[in-house]
Coordinates of all heavy atoms in Angstrom, one line a residue:
Chain A
F15 N 63.3 -268.3 66.7 CA 64.0 -269.5 66.3 C 64.7 -269.2 65.0 O 64.1 -269.1 63.9 CB 62.9 -270.7 66.0 CG 62.3 -271.2 67.2 CD1 61.0 -271.0 67.5 CD2 63.0 -272.0 68.1 CE1 60.4 -271.5 68.6 CE2 62.4 -272.6 69.2 CZ 61.1 -272.3 69.5
L18 N 63.2 -266.7 62.5 CA 61.7 -266.6 62.7 C 61.4 -266.0 64.1 O 61.8 -266.7 65.1 CB 61.1 -268.0 62.6 CG 59.6 -268.1 62.8 CD1 58.9 -267.5 61.6 CD2 59.2 -269.6 62.9
V20 N 59.0 -265.7 67.0 CA 57.8 -266.4 67.3 C 57.0 -265.7 68.4 O 55.8 -265.7 68.4 CB 58.2 -267.8 67.8 CG1 57.0 -268.6 68.3 CG2 58.9 -268.6 66.7
G38 N 44.2 -269.5 70.4 CA 44.7 -269.0 69.2 C 45.0 -270.1 68.2 O 45.2 -271.2 68.6
S39 N 45.2 -269.8 67.0 CA 45.4 -270.8 66.0 C 46.8 -271.4 66.1 O 47.7 -270.9 66.8 CB 45.2 -270.3 64.6 OG 46.0 -269.1 64.4
S40 N 47.0 -272.6 65.5 CA 48.2 -273.3 65.6 C 49.4 -272.5 65.0 O 49.2 -271.9 64.0 CB 48.0 -274.6 64.8 OG 49.2 -275.2 64.6
G41 N 50.5 -272.5 65.8 CA 51.6 -271.7 65.3 C 51.7 -270.3 65.8 O 52.6 -269.6 65.4
S42 N 50.7 -269.9 66.6 CA 50.7 -268.5 67.0 C 51.6 -268.2 68.2 O 51.8 -267.1 68.6 CB 49.2 -268.1 67.4 OG 48.7 -269.0 68.4
G43 N 52.2 -269.3 68.8 CA 53.3 -269.1 69.8 C 52.8 -269.5 71.2 O 53.5 -269.2 72.2
K44 N 51.7 -270.1 71.3 CA 51.2 -270.4 72.7 C 52.1 -271.4 73.4 O 52.5 -271.1 74.6 CB 49.8 -271.1 72.6 CG 48.8 -270.3 71.8 CD 47.5 -270.9 71.7 CE 47.5 -272.3 70.9 NZ 47.8 -272.2 69.5
T45 N 52.5 -272.5 72.8 CA 53.4 -273.4 73.4 C 54.7 -272.8 73.8 O 55.3 -273.0 74.9 CB 53.6 -274.6 72.5 OG1 52.4 -275.3 72.3 CG2 54.6 -275.6 73.1
T46 N 55.3 -272.0 72.8 CA 56.6 -271.4 73.1 C 56.5 -270.5 74.3 O 57.4 -270.4 75.1 CB 57.0 -270.6 71.8 OG1 57.0 -271.5 70.7 CG2 58.4 -270.0 71.9
L47 N 55.4 -269.7 74.4 CA 55.3 -268.8 75.5 C 55.3 -269.6 76.8 O 56.1 -269.2 77.8 CB 54.0 -268.0 75.4 CG 53.6 -267.1 76.6 CD1 54.7 -266.1 76.9 CD2 52.3 -266.4 76.3
E55 N 62.5 -273.3 76.7 CA 63.1 -272.5 75.6 C 63.8 -271.4 76.2 O 63.4 -270.8 77.2 CB 62.0 -272.0 74.7 CG 61.1 -273.0 74.0 CD 61.8 -273.8 72.9 OE1 63.0 -273.5 72.6 OE2 61.2 -274.8 72.4
D175 N 49.8 -277.4 78.8 CA 49.9 -277.3 77.3 C 49.0 -278.3 76.6 O 49.4 -279.4 76.4 CB 51.4 -277.4 76.8 CG 51.5 -277.0 75.4 OD1 50.5 -276.5 74.8 OD2 52.6 -277.2 74.8
E176 N 47.8 -277.8 76.3 CA 46.9 -278.7 75.5 C 46.8 -280.1 76.1 O 47.0 -281.1 75.4 CB 47.3 -278.8 74.0 CG 47.1 -277.4 73.3 CD 47.3 -277.6 71.8 OE1 46.9 -278.7 71.3 OE2 47.7 -276.7 71.1
V206 N 47.2 -273.6 77.9 CA 46.9 -273.5 76.5 C 45.8 -274.5 76.2 O 45.9 -275.7 76.7 CB 48.1 -273.9 75.6 CG1 47.7 -273.9 74.2 CG2 49.2 -272.9 75.9
Ligands
ADP1 N1 62.1 -275.8 68.1 C1 61.6 -275.0 67.1 N2 62.4 -274.6 66.1 C2 62.0 -273.8 65.1 N3 60.7 -273.3 65.1 C3 59.9 -273.7 66.1 C4 60.3 -274.5 67.1 N4 59.2 -274.6 68.0 C5 58.2 -273.9 67.5 N5 58.6 -273.3 66.3 C6 57.8 -272.4 65.5 O1 57.3 -271.4 66.3 C7 56.0 -271.0 66.0 C8 55.1 -271.1 67.2 O2 55.0 -272.4 67.6 P1 54.2 -272.9 68.9 O3 54.6 -272.0 70.0 O4 54.3 -274.3 69.0 O5 52.7 -272.5 68.5 P2 51.3 -273.0 69.1 O6 51.6 -273.7 70.4 O7 50.6 -271.8 69.3 O8 50.7 -273.9 68.0 C9 55.6 -272.0 64.8 O9 55.8 -271.3 63.6 C10 56.5 -273.1 65.0 O10 56.8 -273.7 63.7

Side-chain angles (χ1 to χ4, degrees):
Chain A
F15 288 111
L18 181 69
V20 175
S39 50
S40 165
S42 57
K44 306 179 297 293
T45 295
T46 306
L47 174 56
E55 299 290 354
D175 189 8
E176 291 193 34
V206 176

